[in-house]
Amino acid sequence: MSKDLEYFKDFLANPESFKSNDFYQKLKEWIEYITEHEDEFNYLEDEEWREPRERIIAAYNVKEELQKEFKKLESALNTALAHHNDRSSIIVYEEWLAFLKKNQAEYNISDEGIISVEEKLNKVITSIINCEIADERLKESKIKEQKSLEKLSNTLFESYERTGKRPIMSALQFKKRNKGN
């Protein structure tokens, strides 16, 4: 029994020191162990197991909160990817990047993975800025087009009032080509 408990010594002493994947694996093994040895000791009720039990519960709560945050950000990121070219996607990418940097050791994220997310963030920012510039130019061209049409309409109306004839716009007339003699 001491050999088996020796295996869990580090886990029982400091369960928060384990990374998420290792923590859940050790927790699963510990649950299997106490289930197999339930006749030998009562982990859930004995006073001598109170401290390790409280440490494991506290570590479990911390890991679960981290998992919830991870899943929430992952869901928000997937939604942002579906609706790219939106300013809110920049915020989601920045939150995702901050989470990854903060929990890089917890999830065994490489520096290349962080750099990859930073590059994607920069691409999203660039594409959003380009879209906004294109939208602004489109609005400006529509305004210019509207002003040109109003000016043309006013010119045609003034010409009609002055002469009493409909103006002929030679620029819009079809010219026949001369096909020889």
Side-chain angles (χ1 to χ4, degrees):
M1 185 168 157
S2 64
K3 181 181 177 194
D4 291 332
L5 281 177
E6 190 67 31
Y7 176 76
F8 296 107
K9 181 181 175 186
D10 293 337
F11 178 71
L12 295 173
N14 191 5
E16 285 190 27
S17 67
F18 287 82
K19 297 177 182 170
S20 286
N21 292 336
D22 297 335
F23 173 80
Y24 287 114
Q25 182 62 35
K26 282 284 192 184
L27 182 63
K28 180 181 174 189
E29 292 172 359
W30 175 244
I31 291 170
E32 289 172 358
Y33 177 80
I34 61 174
T35 304
E36 290 173 4
H37 296 89
E38 66 184 328
D39 298 338
E40 298 170 25
F41 64 95
N42 191 345
Y43 173 76
L44 297 176
E45 294 178 5
D46 286 351
E47 187 62 29
E48 67 183 86
W49 292 102
R50 184 178 58 81
E51 253 185 72
R53 185 174 54 241
E54 289 174 356
R55 282 194 296 265
I56 290 175
I57 291 170
Y60 177 79
N61 291 337
V62 168
K63 302 292 182 188
E64 281 299 303
E65 286 299 317
L66 196 61
Q67 288 288 77
K68 286 178 186 175
E69 185 180 357
F70 178 82
K71 288 179 182 177
K72 181 181 119 189
L73 286 173
E74 188 177 41
S75 173
L77 183 65
N78 290 336
T79 303
L81 288 174
H83 304 295
H84 42 271
N85 296 344
D86 186 2
R87 283 218 178 255
S88 62
S89 61
I90 293 174
I91 296 169
V92 171
Y93 266 104
E94 288 174 344
E95 289 174 352
W96 178 252
L97 183 61
F99 178 83
L100 291 181
K101 284 181 178 179
K102 183 174 117 185
N103 299 302
Q104 184 174 4
E106 182 72 27
Y107 287 103
N108 292 329
I109 300 168
S110 66
D111 290 336
E112 292 82 22
I114 301 263
I115 291 170
S116 169
V117 172
E118 287 175 339
E119 289 172 354
K120 287 179 183 177
L121 174 62
N122 291 335
K123 286 179 183 178
V124 167
I125 291 171
T126 304
S127 70
I128 289 173
I129 289 172
N130 288 340
C131 286
E132 288 177 354
I133 290 171
D135 287 345
E136 197 62 36
R137 287 183 180 165
L138 183 63
K139 287 177 186 175
E140 288 173 7
S141 68
K142 286 185 177 184
I143 291 171
K144 286 180 183 178
E145 178 185 349
Q146 187 66 29
K147 286 181 181 178
S148 296
L149 287 174
E150 287 175 9
K151 185 177 178 182
L152 177 63
S153 177
N154 290 340
T155 305
L156 291 174
F157 183 72
E158 289 171 4
S159 174
Y160 179 72
E161 288 210 338
R162 215 180 22 217
T163 61
K165 297 181 181 176
R166 259 189 153 166
I168 299 174
M169 297 190 309
S170 59
L172 299 177
Q173 288 181 342
F174 180 72
K175 294 183 180 178
K176 291 185 179 180
R177 291 183 176 238
N178 192 0
K179 293 187 179 180
N181 295 344

